[in-house]
Amino acid sequence: MATPTTPEVLFDAGNFRLYRNRIEIDRHGLFGRITRTDIIYYNDITGVQATGKTIRLYRSGLKPNITIRLRNKPDAQAALAIINGNKA
């Protein structure tokens, strides 16, 4: 399982981090540099689908859906448990 780097991070998988109220996803540019960090709050998530190593987040309104790929299935299940546990 991915280890948190700071006390407030619940799950750190490199390109994305799970916090108590939000998800941060790093977006990379053409040459691999991080160009921005997208923040998705749990209130915006209407549904979650997990299949193997992939988690798909469905968002409210016209916001695009997010697909997260993890290294292995236990990491995906741990991340899904954090998302479901902190979603109000």
Side-chain angles (χ1 to χ4, degrees):
M1 186 167 119
T3 57
T5 56
T6 62
E8 62 184 32
V9 176
L10 299 177
F11 188 86
D12 187 6
N15 288 337
F16 78 96
R17 290 160 302 285
L18 298 176
Y19 293 88
R20 294 203 184 280
N21 64 344
R22 69 187 184 277
I23 301 170
E24 290 183 355
I25 301 173
D26 295 333
R27 299 296 179 185
H28 298 278
L30 183 62
F31 297 109
R33 291 188 325 189
I34 296 175
T35 56
R36 69 178 192 269
T37 301
D38 291 341
I39 297 174
I40 297 114
Y41 290 97
Y42 292 130
N43 296 340
D44 291 339
I45 298 173
T46 59
V48 180
Q49 178 185 8
T51 307
K53 299 186 286 185
T54 304
I55 296 176
R56 187 152 175 97
L57 305 172
Y58 297 99
R59 297 171 62 188
S60 60
L62 296 175
K63 299 172 185 170
N65 298 329
I66 305 292
T67 301
I68 299 171
R69 288 185 180 83
L70 293 146
R71 290 185 179 187
N72 52 32
K73 191 173 181 178
D75 281 352
Q77 290 174 348
L80 182 64
I82 291 170
I83 292 169
N84 285 332
N86 290 319
K87 192 171 176 329

